[in-house]
C-alpha cells in the first residue's frame, strides 16, 4: 500500500522541530532588522552640514535617532565588540550574553514560564540587562566597555546632529495614492530629493 498524499506526523521532537526553531529564529531576526535603514542613506555625504543652532541640532538628533535607531544600535554593538577583541574572556561573556538575549528575549514565541509562573517581558529585559552589565564588568574590561560605550554614544550624537533630516522618508506613509506602487513612489521621492538638493 502506498502512502502518497498522507501527511507524516511525528510525536517526538527531532530534526524537524530544530529546523522549525531555526527558521522561526531567522524570521524573527529579519523582522528585527526590517527597520534598519540603508547604509548609503545614513552616510550620504551630501546630507551632512552644520546645524544652524542648538535647537536645530536637538531636533536633528531626535529625528535621526528615531529614524536610524537600528543602525545606531548595530554601530554601538560593533564598537563594543571591537573593543572586547583584546579581552577574550570578556568577548566570550559578551557572546554568551548575546546568545541568552536571543533565546530568552528576542526569539521567544510564547511567554517565559519559570516554576509555573509567567514572567513579564519587562522583567526579562531588566534582568538580562543587569546581568549583561554585571558579567561584563566582572571580567576586568570595565575601562574598555565604558570607553567603547562613550565612543558609541559620541558617534551617535555627532552623526545625528550633523545629518540633515529633510531627505529622510518613510516608504509606508509616503504612498497615499491607490494606484501607485512602492517602487514608483520611492523613485518619485528620490527624484524629488535629488531636485531638492
Amino acid at each position: 500500500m502506498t502512502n502518497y498524499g498522507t501527511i507524516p506526523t511525528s510525536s517526538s521532537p527531532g530534526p524537524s522541530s530544530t529546523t522549525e526553531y531555526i527558521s522561526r529564529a531567522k524570521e524573527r531576526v529579519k523582522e528585527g532588522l526590517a527597520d534598519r535603514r540603508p547604509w548609503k542613506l545614513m552616510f550620504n555625504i551630501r546630507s551632512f552640514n552644520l546645524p544652524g543652532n542648538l535647537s536645530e541640532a536637538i531636533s536633528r538628533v531626535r529625528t535621526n535617532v528615531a529614524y536610524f535607531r537600528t543602525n545606531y544600535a548595530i554601530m554601538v554593538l560593533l564598537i563594543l565588540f571591537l573593543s572586547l577583541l583584546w579581552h577574550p574572556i570578556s568577548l566570550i561573556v559578551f557572546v554568551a550574553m548575546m546568545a541568552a538575549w536571543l533565546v530568552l528575549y528576542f526569539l521567544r514565541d510564547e511567554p517565559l514560564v519559570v516554576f509555573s509562573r509567567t514572567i513579564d517581558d519587562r522583567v526579562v529585559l531588566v534582568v538580562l540587562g543587569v546581568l549583561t552589565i554585571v558579567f561584563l564588568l566582572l571580567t576586568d574590561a570595565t575601562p574598555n566597555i565604558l570607553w567603547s560605550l562613550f565612543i558609541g554614544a559620541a558617534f551617535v550624537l555627532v552623526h545625528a546632529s550633523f545629518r540633515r533630516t529633510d531627505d529622510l522618508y518613510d516608504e509606508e506613509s509616503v504612498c497615499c495614492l491607490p494606484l501607485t506602487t512602492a517602487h514608483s513612489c520611492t523613485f518619485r521621492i528620490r527624484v524629488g530629493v535629488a531636485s531638492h538638493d
Side-chain angles (χ1 to χ4, degrees):
M1 181 170 157
T2 61
N3 292 331
Y4 295 120
T6 60
I7 300 172
T9 59
S10 167
S11 61
S12 64
S16 64
S17 67
T18 305
T19 307
E20 272 182 37
Y21 182 77
I22 291 172
S23 65
R24 277 197 328 254
K26 285 181 184 179
E27 287 301 316
R28 298 286 295 263
V29 169
K30 284 181 185 176
E31 289 172 11
L33 293 176
D35 55 344
R36 181 186 60 84
R37 305 300 180 169
W39 294 104
K40 280 183 172 182
L41 179 66
M42 185 174 176
F43 293 111
N44 183 359
I45 196 73
R46 294 186 188 115
S47 298
F48 287 93
N49 68 1
L50 288 170
N53 53 31
L54 182 62
S55 64
E56 182 183 355
I58 292 170
S59 173
R60 284 185 183 187
V61 168
R62 286 184 182 156
T63 304
N64 283 326
V65 166
Y67 191 80
F68 293 115
R69 67 181 169 270
T70 304
N71 298 63
Y72 287 146
I74 291 170
M75 291 299 295
V76 170
L77 287 175
L78 179 66
I79 291 169
L80 179 60
F81 177 79
L82 291 175
S83 75
L84 295 177
L85 285 178
W86 290 269
H87 294 275
I89 300 297
S90 298
L91 189 59
I92 292 169
V93 169
F94 180 72
V95 170
M97 290 309 297
M98 290 301 291
W101 275 90
L102 286 172
V103 170
L104 295 174
Y105 190 74
F106 291 112
L107 300 179
R108 276 188 303 115
D109 288 334
E110 55 271 338
L112 184 64
V113 178
V114 177
F115 300 120
S116 301
R117 294 182 58 124
T118 302
I119 307 297
D120 187 33
D121 279 345
R122 290 175 292 191
V123 173
V124 175
L125 178 74
V126 169
V127 168
L128 281 174
V130 168
L131 287 177
T132 301
I133 291 168
V134 167
F135 287 152
L136 284 175
L137 293 178
L138 288 176
T139 60
D140 291 333
T142 305
N144 276 20
I145 294 167
L146 294 177
W147 275 109
S148 64
L149 291 176
F150 175 75
I151 290 169
F155 166 78
V156 168
L157 286 175
V158 167
H159 180 273
S161 61
F162 283 96
R163 173 72 169 77
R164 286 192 340 243
T165 58
D166 58 352
D167 63 342
L168 303 179
Y169 58 88
D170 186 14
E171 292 90 0
E172 293 145 6
S173 65
V174 171
C175 298
C176 52
L177 298 175
L179 297 177
T180 59
T181 62
H183 184 334
S184 65
C185 279
T186 305
F187 178 74
R188 205 171 337 130
I189 292 166
R190 289 193 178 148
V191 168
V193 169
S195 64
H196 181 355
D197 287 341

